[in-house]
Amino acid sequence: MDLSDFSAALSAALADLRYGETPQELYEPIRYSMSMGGKRIRPLLTLLGAHLFTDDWQVALKPALAVEVFHNFTLLHDDIMDQAPLRRGQPTVHVQWNPNVAILSGDVMVVRAYELLFDIEPALLRELLQRFSQTAAEVCEGQQLDMNFETEAHVSIPQYLDMIRLKTAVLLGFALELGARLGGASPDDADHLRRFGTDIGLAFQLRDDLLDVYGDAATFGKRVGGDIVSGKKTYLLLTALEGANEAQKATLHHWLGLNTPETAEAKVQAITAVYDELQIRTRTEALINEYFQDALYHLDAVQAAPTARKALLRGLALQLMERES
Amino acid sequence: MDLSDFSAALSAALADLRYGETPQELYEPIRYSMSMGGKRIRPLLTLLGAHLFTDDWQVALKPALAVEVFHNFTLLHDDIMDQAPLRRGQPTVHVQWNPNVAILSGDVMVVRAYELLFDIEPALLRELLQRFSQTAAEVCEGQQLDMNFETEAHVSIPQYLDMIRLKTAVLLGFALELGARLGGASPDDADHLRRFGTDIGLAFQLRDDLLDVYGDAATFGKRVGGDIVSGKKTYLLLTALEGANEAQKATLHHWLGLNTPETAEAKVQAITAVYDELQIRTRTEALINEYFQDALYHLDAVQAAPTARKALLRGLALQLMERES
C-alpha cells in the first residue's frame, strides 16, 4: 500500500457517496462542492491513521468521508462569510446559486457528516462523536476569531497561532485520532497522532501564509501577495510588525492604509521588501520546522505501529511541508 | 404531574444549559436566541412521550433540549434567509449582530444539538441519532421547498402539504418518537406517536395559516394578513385559487400583483372577501380537524401507555389546535 492506493480508495468512496435527491436546489450544490476536488488530505490522514494499527483500514473509510464532508461544509459557509467569488478556480456555491442555497446546503452537509460516523462500532461511537463535535465547534470558533481579527487593531502572535490551530489544525489532528482509534490504537497512541496532526496543520497553514508572499504564482495557483493586498493579519505580517523599527513600522502602516487597485502591485513590493529586511521568510520557515519536528516527535512516540507504516505518514507530512501550491 | 410541571423542568434545564464561552461573538447569539422564549412545544412533546412509558421521564430531558436547540437553529438560519427583522418582537440575530455571526452561531447550534443526544443509552444511541439526522435533513428540505415556492408560478395543494410536513411536522413527530423510545416504547408504539406528532404539526401549521387571516391582531401578536400582503402561497390562498371562478380568480390575481404599502390594507380586505365567498375558513378548519382526528387515532393506538398519561398529550394537542396565538 502506498499513498496513491489510499487516495484511489477515497476517490472511489467519494464518487459513490449519496447526499440526497430532492429538492435538487439543496443537494446539487453539495455534489458540486464535493466534486471541486482538493487534496483530500484530511480523509487520507484518517485512513493512514487506521492503517498504522490494522490491515483492515477500510473500517475508517466512511468516517474519513465524514471529515471530508465536514471540511467542505466549512469551506462552503466560510466562502459566504468571506464573500469569496471563486474556490479552486470555480464559482463558489453562493455565487453559482445564491447565499440562501449555500447556507442551507451547508447545513445539510453537517448532518450528512454526522451520519457517516454512525456505523462506528458501539464501543467507540459515543467517544468519537463527542470528539468530532468538540472539533467541529472549535473549527467554528477559529472561523469566528479569524473574522474578529479583520477589524481588531492589534492581534498578537499567540492569538494568531491559536486561531489557526482552531480553524485549521484541530481538524487534521482529529482526522488522525479518528483513524487511529478505529484502527485499534490505544488512547495514548491516538493522542500522539492527534498532536502530530495538529502540528502538521499549524505548519501547513504557516506554509500557506508563506506561499502567498514567496510562492511562485504559476505553481501556487493564486495571485502572489493576495494576503498583503487585503491587509490580512498573517503570521508574516504580525511578525514583521513586532520586529520592525520605527521606519519599517511607518512603511508597513503607510502601505497597509492604501487599498486601491492601482497601488496593489507597489504595496506587495514595498511590504515584501520590509519582510526581506526583517528576514520574515527565514523566521517563518524556522517556526514551520519547529512544528514539523514536534510532529515527528509525536509520530515517533506512537508505540504500537510498524515503522514502515509510519513512514507513509511522515512522507505525506513532508509533502505538505515542502509543497509549492 | 401536569403540563406545567414538565414546562418548569424544561425551563430549569434550559437555564442550566451551557453552549460555550469564547469567542463571545459566537456563543452570545446562541444564548440570545435560546432565551427569546417560545412555547417549547417540541421538548415538551419529548418529555410527554417518555412519560407515557416511564416514571423516569427525566432520562429524556437532555435529548428534549437537543430538539429545542435544533429548532432554534432552524429559526436562526431561516430568519437570515427570509431577511426577517424580528423574531418574537426582538431583533433577529443577523440584525442584532450580522449575517456572518448568525450563520456561524447557527452552525454551532447544530453541533450542540447533536451533543445533547450523546448520553442516550448505547442500545438506542445509533437508531435515535439516525432518526434525528434524517429529520434534520427533512427540515432543511422543507425550508428549501418553501423558498422555491416563492418564485414558482404554480404550487399544488399536495406540494404545499408536503412542504409543511417536512418544514414543520416531522420535527414534532420526531420529538415524540424520541421521548417514547427513551421511555421504553416499542418501535410500534413509538411510530404511532411519531404519526400523532406529525399530524399535530400539520394541523398546527394550518392553524398558523388560518390565524394570519382570521386571528385577532391583539392576541395573535402579528399584523393580521401578513401572508396576504406578501403573497405567500398558504393553504388558504392555494385552496382559494383552486376553487375560484373566473371572476374570483381575476380578483385574486389583480390584488396579488399589487405590492405597495398603500394598497396593503385594501389587498387584505379584497382577498379575505374572496376567501369568505369560497368558505376557505371552514374548509381549512375541516382539514385541521381531519389531521386532529387522525392524530387521536394514532394516540389511541398506542398500546403500552396509561389513559391518564395519554390525556396530557391529548390536552396539549387540543391547546395547540384551539390556540389564538
Side-chain angles (χ1 to χ4, degrees), chain B residues 77 97 101 103 108 179 220 314:
Chain B
H77 273 196
W97 284 268
V101 158
I103 292 172
V108 176
F220 189 42
R314 191 190 183 109

Side-chain angles (χ1 to χ4, degrees), chain A residues 292-318:
Chain A
F292 189 58
Q293 294 308 320
D294 195 60
L296 294 184
Y297 163 79
H298 286 296
L299 185 60
D300 284 345
V302 172
Q303 300 274 324
T307 311
R309 295 191 178 193
K310 286 187 185 178
L312 278 178
L313 260 177
R314 191 191 183 107
L316 177 62
L318 206 60

Side-chain angles (χ1 to χ4, degrees), chain A residues 2 5 26 38 47 54 58 63-64 73 83 90 98 109 114 144 148 156 162 174 176 186 206 209 236 270 289 294 313:
Chain A
D2 62 22
D5 297 318
L26 189 61
L47 296 189
T54 179
Q58 287 173 329
F73 143 74
Q83 303 187 309
Q90 290 178 263
N98 59 58
M109 288 172 85
Y114 272 103
Q144 184 64 52
N148 288 354
S156 73
D162 194 49
F174 172 72
L176 266 169
S186 69
L206 290 171
D209 288 5
L236 281 69
N289 193 48
D294 195 60
L313 260 177

